[in-house]
Amino acid sequence: MADQEGSAPTDQVQEEKTEETVQQEIPTENAVKTEEPVAEQTEPVTQTAPEVQQQEEEKKEETTEQKQEEQSQEETGKQEEQTEEKKEEPAVGQTEEKTEDEGQKQDDEKVEEQTEAKTEGQTEEKVEEKTEEQNEAKPDAPEKDKTKESTDIPAPPGTPQPTQQSMGTETEPTKDDHEVDPHTTSPRTNLEATATVKIVLMPSGQVVTLACTLGQSLRELKDHFASELKMQFNMIYLMFDGKQANDSLTLADLGVGPNGTIQLELQSTDPVNTPIKTYRPKQEYHMPDVITVRIQGSEDGEGARDVVVEIERATRKKPFIGGYRHKQSGIEFHHASAQTMKKQPPPSTVPKYCRDTQTVEQKHTVQQTTNDMSTQMSKIGVFVSNVPDKLLTPGSYTTADDHHNMILQKIILIQKYYRRWLAKRYVTKLKDDKKSREEFEKQEEIRKKKEKEDRIRKEFERRMNPKTKEDFDLLYHALEKWRVEEMERINQTADGAERKAALCMLLDQETQLISAIGRHKIEADTENKDKRIQQFLSKAAAPKKWKGFDGKSTEMDTPYTIRAKELQDIYNSINMKYLTQDERLDVLLTLKHTVKEHDCKLTQEIIELIDREADLLMRGVRENNLDGLRKRISTLFLQYIKTPTFNPEAAKLLKVPQDPSVLRKNIYFCPSCNQYLPSTDFALSSNSRTVGKCRRCTKIDNDARTRQDFSTFQHMLKSLRKSEEGFKDGSKIAFLLQEQDLRYLVEKIWSGQSILSAWEDLYDLTFVRWDKHQEWSPWNCILLTKDEAASHVKLVDLEEGYGQVFMQKVKQKHTLARNYFSRLPGMAEHVREKANEKSMISGPSVAGQPVPVQSRA
């Protein structure tokens, strides 16, 4: 490096000597001067005379080759280029006819321009010295017109940035005509400037944009694309303005200025066999996270080892802190500290503490150093007033013990106030909790009171206007309760004949009340009959629904459901009131066309009644006199709708199946009404061994004698089943219990009250699981209020929450329930088997037959 890097003064002296040597040794016919600008260097490059002569010979050979290529192109038929050269030849002739004084001035101006184009590091003094040396050498030349040619030759391809060499030649004028290259650039052109080159790949039309220097030749561009497209160099050529461009031309020769733009076309010499491929730029290289580096040992290769190096991604831009550059090759060597991060010092083993972790707040202030100052005092000839002076007296001295005691007292004071603040906050929180709890209890009390009022009001409404079977059970239960109370009062207050008379009066009152209940039942049956008819028609006209594997429900209308929908609309139309005469006749005509489709005794009777009503309407008979006739038409049409022949959807909703073979299955005999009924008409308890009475006979017996109300237990059973559905663990026993079983469980096993609070209102009581991880059953349940049940579900450890005594009490009741409901486990298992059998067949039924569902793969 010491040989390659010399000092600036030595280079300047050596360059001056070299230039003088070159001018003396090289003939004046071809005086060559070379320049090699290097980036970021102000020192000139030195060259010896043999090197200058060698470069001159190489440039002459390249110039000769360029001329031969131009001549070959002219011979193939490119006359336009010859014309341009001929147009430019007069300019050469003019330069030859110049006088000696004008030629001398041109030479001086060109020398000055070449000195200005040198590297930025050259100073003005060096330029003046070189100019003077050249001027001194000029008188040696013949006193004739002189021309100076400058040729820019690009650097060989493959270099990172091709450097340009400018050559200035001085030729001795002769009588022969000289050929001048018209594409030769002016010395003022900066060949280091960049330009934008757009290469259009033909025939695909793909455009590739490159940033090149003005001194870069077309040969270098061809070499670049030949390597990128994997094609031979002689198989591609460049086109400019519709003509094939010479490979030796540079971008400056084509007329491109600095920061300019030029468009070239790249074509193949044989587009049929070797077309130009699509250009794909190289992907950017990404450094891996880990690399393996082999470290060589001795010269023999022994001791080599592989080291795994982890690459750290740069989080900041590395600063440039200098380096070195090779003068001849131009390679730059940067300082190594710019390539690696700063090495961190090893952590200290000594524990260190920082006061930043304490509660002390740091504050940075500017402090000024003391300065010496002078004071003025009274003396002979000088008077200083003492009016603004102050008299200071020293205070009491504070010892270290006093200081520490003062700090202790302040600490105790701070702790006292802090504990007071904690206590106040705790008390405030308790007050807020108490207030919120009182508000919650108040709201709960209001809610319970409102629910109770609503329940009483609803019960009173049910008693005044009974509609359902449960409402009439409630009335009969209230009647029985009233009768029992009156019987007890009569037995306690009366005796003998007076008692018999009171009992007779009680019997008459009971008879009147039963008669009133019967009248309400007749009215309710009439209303319920219309509701049942509408419910029957709606079920028949409802589309088929089922859920798919994705959980979405699908509806499908079949021809049978559409037929049922039409019959429902006609039935609702003939029962509408307050229709005009024309509207009524239109409805009757639609009904007549509908029933005409089937010819039977029923349809003939309906058609006859329709004609009779139409005739009476035309005669002007009042509507009150037509009620009986219209009721007959409605009843017969309803019978028409319920016939499966006319309405196929009605077959599934009829209680009596159309297939006689079905009647032989699940049919039982009722000993009370002496009828054979399906199994669904019998209510079986959990411990029954025989079928017993049917539901209708059981209800009549209950209304006549026991008059029990199961509405409360029915509500409790409904709530229990809803809570069991929420667990989703396949609980079955809760759905096997009947109202009678739940009544026995509440009244006999749990004594009709909560086991915790002894609350007896059945509307507030509910059953929950004793162990929430097991299925609900009579031997795994507990009767609590709704609030107690919510708290019981949240318990994790029952023994810890209730204690041994309470748990023994609950287990005793579970044992009693297990003995009474001993047959329930077997019944639950039977239900599971039936459910598994039914799950094998699923899907919608279109015409009464089940459609098998294909299993998804």
Side-chain angles (χ1 to χ4, degrees):
M1 294 297 293
D3 298 337
Q4 296 172 0
E5 297 179 359
S7 60
T10 305
D11 294 340
Q12 293 178 1
V13 174
Q14 185 179 358
E15 184 179 2
E16 293 176 0
K17 295 179 179 181
T18 306
E19 290 178 355
E20 294 176 0
T21 306
V22 171
Q23 292 178 1
Q24 295 175 3
E25 295 178 0
I26 299 177
T28 58
E29 185 178 355
N30 292 321
V32 181
K33 182 180 180 181
T34 60
E35 295 176 0
E36 185 179 1
V38 182
E40 299 180 4
Q41 182 179 2
T42 58
E43 299 178 2
V45 181
T46 61
Q47 292 181 350
T48 59
E51 291 178 353
V52 175
Q53 185 176 1
Q54 184 179 359
Q55 291 181 359
E56 181 185 359
E57 292 176 359
E58 291 177 358
K59 291 176 181 178
K60 285 182 179 180
E61 292 176 1
E62 292 179 357
T63 306
T64 305
E65 292 177 1
Q66 291 180 2
K67 289 182 179 180
Q68 291 178 359
E69 290 177 359
E70 291 178 359
Q71 291 177 2
S72 62
Q73 291 179 359
E74 290 176 358
E75 293 175 358
T76 54
K78 293 189 177 179
Q79 298 178 359
E80 296 179 359
E81 295 182 0
Q82 295 176 358
T83 304
E84 292 177 359
E85 291 177 358
K86 290 178 181 180
K87 288 181 181 180
E88 294 178 357
E89 285 178 1
V92 179
Q94 291 178 2
T95 58
E96 294 177 354
E97 293 176 1
K98 290 183 180 180
T99 61
E100 182 178 358
D101 296 336
E102 292 175 354
Q104 185 70 21
K105 292 181 181 179
Q106 288 182 356
D107 294 338
D108 296 340
E109 291 175 357
K110 291 182 179 180
V111 170
E112 291 178 359
E113 290 174 358
Q114 290 179 357
T115 56
E116 291 176 358
K118 290 183 179 181
T119 313
E120 296 180 358
Q122 295 177 349
T123 59
E124 295 180 358
E125 296 178 359
K126 297 178 183 180
V127 175
E128 293 177 358
E129 292 176 359
K130 295 178 182 179
T131 307
E132 292 175 359
E133 292 175 359
Q134 293 177 358
N135 292 334
E136 293 176 357
K138 287 177 182 177
D140 297 337
E143 296 179 356
K144 294 182 180 181
D145 296 339
K146 299 179 181 181
T147 58
K148 192 174 185 179
E149 298 178 356
S150 61
T151 305
D152 296 337
I153 300 176
T159 58
Q161 291 185 355
T163 58
Q164 305 294 331
Q165 297 180 356
S166 300
M167 297 178 58
T169 60
E170 295 181 0
T171 60
E172 183 178 357
T174 59
K175 295 180 181 180
D176 298 334
D177 295 336
H178 298 278
E179 294 181 358
V180 180
D181 189 2
H183 301 289
T184 304
T185 59
S186 176
R188 292 181 178 271
T189 304
N190 185 11
L191 299 181
E192 295 295 333
T194 60
T196 303
V197 181
K198 295 184 177 180
I199 307 296
V200 182
L201 305 183
M202 302 300 291
S204 62
Q206 182 182 3
V207 179
V208 181
T209 304
L210 301 176
C212 305
T213 59
L214 296 180
Q216 192 168 359
S217 64
L218 301 185
R219 180 184 298 276
E220 297 177 8
L221 294 177
K222 288 181 61 177
D223 290 339
H224 172 72
F225 280 95
S227 61
E228 292 291 335
L229 299 176
K230 301 296 188 294
M231 299 180 65
Q232 296 181 3
F233 178 81
N234 57 357
M235 295 301 296
I236 58 176
Y237 63 91
L238 293 173
M239 299 286 292
F240 177 67
D241 288 341
K243 296 177 291 183
Q244 182 175 358
N246 191 4
D247 294 345
S248 61
L249 298 179
T250 62
L251 297 179
D253 297 339
L254 298 178
V256 185
N259 300 326
T261 304
I262 187 174
Q263 181 171 341
L264 302 175
E265 295 182 1
L266 183 66
Q267 298 184 5
S268 174
T269 57
D270 188 3
V272 177
N273 298 326
T274 58
I276 294 180
K277 305 176 184 177
T278 304
Y279 179 79
R280 293 183 177 86
K282 295 182 178 180
Q283 299 295 331
E284 184 180 358
Y285 175 74
H286 295 279
M287 175 66 72
D289 295 336
V290 179
I291 61 175
T292 303
V293 179
R294 177 177 292 275
I295 300 177
Q296 298 293 339
S298 61
E299 296 180 356
D300 299 338
E302 297 180 356
R305 57 192 181 92
D306 295 339
V307 179
V308 179
V309 180
E310 183 178 357
I311 305 299
E312 295 184 358
R313 305 297 177 183
T315 57
R316 59 181 178 85
K317 186 177 181 181
K318 298 179 180 178
F320 177 75
I321 57 177
Y324 304 96
R325 184 181 63 82
H326 199 284
K327 288 185 177 181
Q328 295 182 0
S329 62
I331 300 176
E332 294 182 356
F333 300 92
H334 295 173
H335 290 303
S337 59
Q339 308 298 323
T340 58
M341 301 298 294
K342 183 179 179 181
K343 184 177 180 181
Q344 297 294 334
S348 177
T349 57
V350 179
K352 297 180 180 181
Y353 301 96
C354 180
R355 69 174 185 174
D356 293 343
T357 59
Q358 306 299 324
T359 57
V360 177
E361 180 181 0
Q362 294 183 358
K363 184 177 181 182
H364 299 278
T365 59
V366 179
Q367 184 177 4
Q368 188 176 5
T369 59
T370 58
N371 295 328
D372 296 335
M373 300 184 67
S374 61
T375 59
Q376 185 68 38
M377 300 179 63
S378 298
K379 66 178 182 177
I380 299 173
V382 178
F383 174 74
V384 179
S385 176
N386 56 1
V387 174
D389 294 348
K390 296 180 182 180
L391 183 62
L392 301 177
T393 57
S396 60
Y397 179 75
T398 304
T399 61
D401 295 336
D402 296 339
H403 179 70
H404 291 306
N405 291 333
M406 183 268 294
I407 293 176
L408 180 60
Q409 293 298 326
K410 298 299 182 181
I411 291 174
I412 294 174
L413 183 63
I414 293 173
Q415 290 180 351
K416 180 174 67 176
Y417 281 104
Y418 177 70
R419 290 170 182 173
R420 179 178 175 229
W421 175 77
L422 289 178
K424 289 178 65 177
R425 189 179 68 169
Y426 180 71
V427 172
T428 304
K429 186 176 181 300
L430 290 179
K431 288 181 179 180
D432 295 340
D433 294 343
K434 181 182 178 183
K435 186 177 179 180
S436 60
R437 179 65 183 180
E438 290 176 353
E439 186 68 22
F440 173 75
E441 291 179 354
K442 184 178 179 181
Q443 294 295 334
E444 286 294 317
E445 185 178 357
I446 293 174
R447 183 183 62 82
K448 292 178 181 179
K449 185 177 180 181
K450 186 177 179 180
E451 288 181 357
K452 188 174 182 179
E453 291 176 356
D454 293 342
R455 178 167 52 83
I456 294 174
R457 181 178 52 79
K458 196 173 186 180
E459 186 175 347
F460 179 76
E461 183 68 22
R462 289 172 59 193
R463 291 184 180 184
M464 296 300 297
N465 298 310
K467 302 294 183 183
T468 61
K469 181 183 66 173
E470 290 78 11
D471 297 343
F472 288 102
D473 290 341
L474 180 61
L475 285 177
Y476 283 116
H477 179 69
L479 176 61
E480 180 64 18
K481 187 176 180 181
W482 171 79
R483 188 187 68 82
V484 171
E485 291 177 355
E486 290 295 323
M487 284 283 294
E488 291 179 356
R489 185 182 61 81
I490 292 173
N491 292 332
Q492 291 177 2
T493 58
D495 192 10
E498 184 179 357
R499 176 176 174 275
K500 290 182 180 181
L503 292 175
C504 291
M505 291 179 61
L506 178 61
L507 183 59
D508 293 339
Q509 292 178 2
E510 182 181 1
T511 304
Q512 292 177 3
L513 292 174
I514 292 174
S515 178
I517 294 174
R519 288 193 298 270
H520 282 289
K521 186 179 292 187
I522 293 173
E523 295 176 1
D525 289 342
T526 304
E527 295 179 2
N528 293 336
K529 181 179 180 181
D530 296 337
K531 292 181 180 180
R532 287 195 299 270
I533 292 173
Q534 291 296 330
Q535 187 178 5
F536 172 81
L537 296 177
S538 299
K539 287 183 178 180
K544 305 297 180 181
K545 296 181 181 180
W546 68 90
K547 284 188 177 182
F549 62 92
D550 54 354
K552 297 181 180 179
S553 60
T554 305
E555 297 183 358
M556 181 182 65
D557 287 320
T558 62
Y560 297 151
T561 57
I562 296 174
R563 169 70 175 178
K565 182 66 176 177
E566 294 175 356
L567 297 178
Q568 181 186 14
D569 294 339
I570 296 174
Y571 180 82
N572 293 333
S573 300
I574 63 176
N575 289 324
M576 292 178 64
K577 297 181 180 179
Y578 309 110
L579 296 177
T580 61
Q581 183 176 354
D582 295 338
E583 293 175 349
R584 182 66 184 180
L585 291 175
D586 189 13
V587 171
L588 293 176
L589 183 61
T590 304
L591 176 60
K592 184 175 181 180
H593 287 302
T594 302
V595 299
K596 265 187 177 180
E597 298 175 359
H598 304 87
D599 187 10
C600 62
K601 184 177 180 181
L602 179 61
T603 57
Q604 292 176 1
E605 187 175 357
I606 293 175
I607 293 173
E608 182 181 353
L609 294 177
I610 291 172
D611 295 338
R612 185 184 304 175
E613 183 180 357
D615 184 44
L616 293 176
L617 286 174
M618 299 300 296
R619 293 176 182 272
V621 178
R622 294 184 300 178
E623 292 186 359
N624 295 334
N625 298 330
L626 298 176
D627 290 342
L629 180 59
R630 291 177 177 177
K631 190 174 294 186
R632 288 185 60 191
I633 294 174
S634 177
T635 304
L636 292 177
F637 185 64
L638 180 61
Q639 185 178 355
Y640 175 86
I641 293 174
K642 291 183 178 181
T643 304
T645 305
F646 311 134
N647 185 15
E649 281 294 321
K652 300 186 301 179
L653 304 175
L654 295 178
K655 291 185 178 181
V656 180
Q658 300 299 312
D659 189 4
S661 61
V662 180
L663 296 174
R664 301 172 185 174
K665 300 178 182 179
N666 298 329
I667 299 298
Y668 298 95
F669 177 74
C670 177
S672 180
C673 60
N674 296 328
Q675 292 182 357
Y676 288 94
L677 301 173
S679 59
T680 55
D681 291 344
F682 293 88
L684 300 177
S685 60
S686 60
N687 59 348
S688 60
R689 299 181 179 275
T690 59
V691 177
K693 299 178 182 179
C694 63
R695 295 181 184 273
R696 182 169 175 272
C697 295
T698 304
K699 184 180 180 303
I700 294 175
D701 182 66
N702 182 43
D703 295 342
R705 296 191 301 171
T706 57
R707 296 172 182 173
Q708 295 178 355
D709 181 23
F710 295 98
S711 59
T712 305
F713 301 102
Q714 187 177 3
H715 174 74
M716 189 181 298
L717 183 60
K718 184 178 180 180
S719 176
L720 172 62
R721 291 174 177 175
K722 185 177 180 180
S723 63
E724 286 300 307
E725 288 179 357
F727 284 98
K728 297 180 180 180
D729 55 355
S731 178
K732 295 292 189 299
I733 298 179
F735 300 91
L736 297 176
L737 292 179
Q738 302 298 325
E739 290 83 357
Q740 299 86 348
D741 301 329
L742 194 65
R743 179 179 181 179
Y744 181 87
L745 187 62
V746 172
E747 294 181 353
K748 303 299 182 181
I749 304 298
W750 298 96
S751 303
Q753 61 183 4
S754 172
I755 193 173
L756 284 176
S757 59
W759 188 262
E760 296 182 352
D761 190 357
L762 296 180
Y763 288 97
D764 295 336
L765 298 179
T766 183
F767 273 109
V768 292
R769 295 182 179 184
W770 171 249
D771 185 3
K772 61 182 178 181
H773 301 292
Q774 297 182 5
E775 181 184 5
W776 187 95
S777 60
W779 49 89
N780 185 33
C781 64
I782 184 173
L783 184 62
L784 302 170
T785 62
K786 295 180 180 178
D787 297 337
E788 295 169 354
S791 301
H792 172 78
V793 174
K794 298 178 182 179
L795 288 178
V796 179
D797 190 357
L798 297 177
E799 185 176 357
E800 182 180 355
Y802 292 115
Q804 289 290 339
V805 178
F806 185 84
M807 291 187 67
Q808 290 295 335
K809 185 178 179 181
V810 173
K811 289 182 179 180
Q812 182 180 4
K813 294 183 178 295
H814 288 170
T815 304
L816 296 175
R818 186 184 293 274
N819 294 335
Y820 181 79
F821 298 97
S822 58
R823 298 184 59 186
L824 274 181
M827 296 174 64
E829 186 65 27
H830 178 70
V831 170
R832 289 192 183 92
E833 294 177 358
K834 289 293 183 182
N836 293 333
E837 293 177 0
K838 291 182 179 180
S839 63
M840 300 299 295
I841 302 175
S842 61
S845 177
V846 178
Q849 297 295 331
V851 178
V853 177
Q854 297 180 357
S855 60
R856 297 186 296 112

